[in-house]
């Protein structure tokens, strides 16, 4: 038994070493340059490291603050930013492995899930991109690790971590509702569910309050951690947007950004104006909004266009970039399509258990991943669709992909599955409390 455990530990260490070796080689062999938002993050982090402005209220700066601290200690350079990404990737591997150890899976399935997570192309090429996703994902996986641990005051820690991630992506404040739904369905104790989720929300609010105070002071009126929510909603919900992707705000018909009122307003007022205009369009164009929403989800879940970010500024030819894009998209779809099918099937099972009052029989970790998927999906359905937005969900999708494979391959095996509501469930699929 001890020999088997030792061999398993060696396997996981070997996979981690292989994944890190590939990541390091990518960073040093593919000299990616930052551009657009990524270049803004790099420059702002450098300013923060030099004691200059922490940016305007337009966009969230959580990633820039942390990267600025790294620059302050180790110096301002692209290489240091990429090395920081490598440490985040290593942290993701270790955290995800420890999460999987808490899930009572077959060792074979655990190895498959972990290996796919480490070696999926996105976890390799993102090490050279100065995007918010690696840090955001690292904190998200850490949040998951903390939640499924037995540590004391974990809801306080979760609130702090949710606050940090909200500083990176402002919508993440809604994570408290994920915990509320999960605990309500599993434990059927509405008071405890409200108490725990509100504690997360309260600590999150306290964590982000200094920056809300800073933004409010700058604008002279209450201002959230960023002011770009309105522009994102506006450029993605209008009659000129046909793809569900980014477009210039000035290209919107009768664009509000061309008006004198908009030009003279501060960032907070501009944000409110754009939000109002976008919501009015959605109300008056419900069918177009729904169509755009599904286009956005297609962009997020079925395209690997983010691979182009990993080649920006390099000498790689356009043909080679396209070839890599096609291959990475195929790999992504092989994993994501079955995972989404599994999530939809599991959602039906959840509804049946809710109807019968048997939600305590559901698997807590699987349900957590399903609710997390719906949280992200709801945000992207309303806002914007890019391939990079699926990066934080890789660990969820790979887990659900394995669930789909087990569902299809072994659904008739009574030894491995028990049948409930006509749907097979793994007997071994239980979260360790």
């Amino acid at each position: 038994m001890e020999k088997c455990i030792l061999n398993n530990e060696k396997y996981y260490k070997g996979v981690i070493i292989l994944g890190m070796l590939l990541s390091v080689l990518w960073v040093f062999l593919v000299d990616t340059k930052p551009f657009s938002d990524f270049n803004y993050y790099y420059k702002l982090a450098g300013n923060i490291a030099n004691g200059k402005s922490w940016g305007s209220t337009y966009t969230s700066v959580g990633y820039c603050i942390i990267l600025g601290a790294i620059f302050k200690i180790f110096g301002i350079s692209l290489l240091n930013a990429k090395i920081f990404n490598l440490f985040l990737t290593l942290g993701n591997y270790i955290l995800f492995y420890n999460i999987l150890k808490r899930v009572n899976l077959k060792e074979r399935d655990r190895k498959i899930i972990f290996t796919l997570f480490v070696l999926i192309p996105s976890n390799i090429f993102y090490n050279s991109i100065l995007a918010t996703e690696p840090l955001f994902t690292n904190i998200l996986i850490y949040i998951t690790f903390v939640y499924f641990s037995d540590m004391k005051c974990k809801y306080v820690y979760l609130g702090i971590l949710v606050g940090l991630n909200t500083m990176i992506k402002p919508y993440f404040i809604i994570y408290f509702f994920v915990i509320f739904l999960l605990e309500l369905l599993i434990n059927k104790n509405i008071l405890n569910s409200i108490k725990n989720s509100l504690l997360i929300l309260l600590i999150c609010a306290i964590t982000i309050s200094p920056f809300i105070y800073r933004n409010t002071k700058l604008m002279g009126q209450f201002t959230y951690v960023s002011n770009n929510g309105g522009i994102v909603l506006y450029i993605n919900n209008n009659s000129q947007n046909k793809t569900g992707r980014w477009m210039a705000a000035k290209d919107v018909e009768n664009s509000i950004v061309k008006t004198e009122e908009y030009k003279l307003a501060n960032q907070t007022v501009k944000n409110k104006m754009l939000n109002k205009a976008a919501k009015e369009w959605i109300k008056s164009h419900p069918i177009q909004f729904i169509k755009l929403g599904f286009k956005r989800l297609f962009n997020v879940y079925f395209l690997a266009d983010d691979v182009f970010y990993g080649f920006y500024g390099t000498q790689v030819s356009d043909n080679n970039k396209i070839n890599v894009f096609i291959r990475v998209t195929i790999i992504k779809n092989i994993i994501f399509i079955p995972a989404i099918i599994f999530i939809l099937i599991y959602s039906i099972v959840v509804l049946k258990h809710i109807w019968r009052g048997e939600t305590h029989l559901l698997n807590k970790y699987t349900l957590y991943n399903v609710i997390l998927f719906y949280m992200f999906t709801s945000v992207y359905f309303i806002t914007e669709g890019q391939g990079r937005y699926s990066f934080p969900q890789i660990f969820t999708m790979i887990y659900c992909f394995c669930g789909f494979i087990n569902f299809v391959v072994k659904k008739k095996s009574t030894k491995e599955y028990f049948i409930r509501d006509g749907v097979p469930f793994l007997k071994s699929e239980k979260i360790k409390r």
Side-chain angles (χ1 to χ4, degrees):
M1 182 65 176
E2 290 182 2
K3 185 177 180 181
C4 182
I5 293 174
L6 185 61
N7 288 336
N8 289 335
E9 291 293 327
K10 287 182 178 179
Y11 175 82
Y12 292 110
K13 288 179 181 177
V15 172
I16 290 174
I17 291 171
L18 176 59
M20 290 308 301
L21 178 61
L22 292 172
S23 297
V24 170
L25 286 173
W26 180 276
V27 166
F28 283 94
L29 295 179
V30 183
D31 189 20
T32 306
K33 297 293 190 298
F35 75 106
S36 187
D37 289 351
F38 309 142
N39 194 42
Y40 171 80
Y41 300 146
Y42 176 64
K43 289 182 177 179
L44 181 56
N47 287 341
I48 292 172
N50 288 323
K52 298 180 181 179
S53 170
W54 285 30
S56 68
T57 64
Y58 177 69
T59 187
S60 52
V61 295
Y63 170 63
C64 301
I65 292 172
I66 294 175
L67 184 60
I70 298 297
F71 285 167
K72 183 72 174 178
I73 299 170
F74 299 103
I76 301 170
S77 74
L78 285 176
L79 180 59
N80 284 338
K82 294 175 182 180
I83 290 174
F84 177 51
N85 280 344
L86 290 171
F87 275 100
L88 291 175
T89 297
L90 178 61
N92 288 345
Y93 294 163
I94 295 171
L95 286 169
F96 190 54
Y97 168 63
N98 280 281
I99 291 170
L100 290 178
K101 285 202 301 185
R102 287 169 164 76
V103 180
N104 191 12
L105 296 165
K106 280 188 170 183
E107 190 59 36
R108 178 202 60 198
D109 292 342
R110 187 178 290 110
K111 287 179 178 178
I112 291 172
I113 293 170
F114 185 73
T115 304
L116 288 174
F117 176 75
V118 170
L119 299 182
I120 193 169
S122 296
N123 272 336
I124 306 299
F125 67 76
Y126 260 83
N127 287 286
S128 67
I129 304 174
L130 271 62
T132 58
E133 277 71 26
L135 178 59
F136 178 82
T137 302
N138 178 269
I139 297 174
L140 174 60
I141 295 177
Y142 189 38
I143 286 170
T144 304
F145 169 76
V146 170
Y147 181 71
F148 285 101
S149 71
D150 296 321
M151 64 176 63
K152 295 180 180 179
C153 302
K154 71 178 180 181
Y155 293 100
V156 174
Y157 296 137
L158 287 173
I160 295 171
L161 292 169
V162 171
L164 292 176
N165 249 6
T166 300
M167 286 291 295
I168 299 171
K169 292 188 182 291
Y171 68 78
F172 196 73
I173 194 171
I174 64 175
Y175 177 86
F176 81 95
F177 193 64
V178 171
I179 300 304
F180 170 75
L181 282 180
L182 180 66
E183 298 198 347
L184 180 62
L185 290 174
I186 295 295
N187 301 325
K188 293 184 178 179
N189 189 324
I190 190 168
L191 290 180
N192 275 341
S193 301
I194 292 174
K195 180 187 73 174
N196 293 336
S197 58
L198 286 185
L199 179 59
I200 293 173
L201 179 61
L202 174 64
I203 301 300
C204 170
I206 293 172
T207 302
I208 65 177
S209 61
F211 214 80
I212 292 178
Y213 172 76
R214 178 257 192 187
N215 287 350
T216 300
K217 190 175 181 181
L218 284 175
M219 293 294 101
Q221 60 193 110
F222 179 82
T223 303
Y224 189 45
V225 294
S226 76
N227 264 324
N228 68 340
I231 190 70
V232 170
L233 202 64
Y234 183 70
I235 65 175
N236 285 283
N237 292 284
N238 61 79
S239 297
Q240 283 64 55
N241 194 316
K242 306 300 181 183
T243 63
R245 305 180 74 90
W246 183 91
M247 64 173 288
K250 63 182 179 60
D251 293 336
V252 178
E253 186 179 10
N254 300 320
S255 178
I256 195 172
V257 304
K258 295 180 180 179
T259 65
E260 286 302 314
E261 181 185 3
Y262 180 87
K263 293 175 181 177
L264 294 174
N266 65 32
Q267 289 288 359
T268 301
V269 174
K270 287 179 178 178
N271 187 48
K272 291 179 179 178
M273 291 171 67
L274 293 164
N275 258 307
K276 181 181 178 182
K279 290 175 181 177
E280 287 177 353
W281 183 89
I282 291 171
K283 289 179 182 177
S284 59
H285 300 79
I287 303 301
Q288 284 179 262
F289 167 69
I290 292 171
K291 288 180 179 179
L292 279 173
F294 281 109
K295 287 180 180 179
R296 286 189 276 266
L297 296 186
F298 179 84
N299 294 332
V300 172
Y301 292 119
F302 304 124
L303 291 180
D305 54 307
D306 48 346
V307 75
F308 291 115
Y309 302 143
F311 289 114
Y312 190 83
T314 68
Q315 300 301 313
V316 178
S317 69
D318 289 342
N319 283 339
N320 284 332
K321 291 177 184 177
I322 292 172
N323 287 333
V324 173
F325 161 70
I326 292 171
R327 286 165 173 75
V328 174
T329 296
I330 291 172
I331 293 171
K332 183 175 183 177
N333 281 295
I334 287 173
I335 293 173
F336 276 52
I337 291 175
I340 292 172
I341 293 172
F342 176 81
I343 289 169
L344 295 176
I345 293 173
Y346 200 82
S347 300
I348 294 172
V349 173
V350 171
L351 292 175
K352 288 184 177 180
H353 280 298
I354 291 173
W355 177 259
R356 296 184 179 186
E358 300 174 339
T359 52
H360 61 282
L361 298 175
L362 293 168
N363 176 271
K364 189 174 183 179
Y365 184 67
T366 303
L367 184 58
Y368 171 82
N369 281 286
V370 169
I371 296 174
L372 203 61
F373 167 82
Y374 283 119
M375 182 195 79
F376 283 115
T377 299
S378 299
V379 171
Y380 301 143
F381 186 88
I382 297 170
T383 56
E384 186 174 341
Q386 292 188 40
R388 73 181 175 122
Y389 294 159
S390 67
F391 184 82
Q393 297 183 74
I394 289 174
F395 77 101
T396 286
M397 303 307 275
I398 290 175
Y399 174 80
C400 292
F401 165 78
C402 191
F404 175 83
I405 297 302
N406 282 326
F407 175 83
V408 172
V409 174
K410 297 181 178 179
K411 63 181 181 178
K412 294 182 180 180
S413 172
T414 55
K415 293 181 180 179
E416 302 294 336
Y417 289 85
F418 66 90
I419 305 298
R420 180 173 295 278
D421 299 331
V423 177
F425 289 85
L426 273 172
K427 289 181 178 178
S428 61
E429 193 192 32
K430 296 178 182 177
I431 192 76
K432 289 183 177 179
R433 303 282 178 167

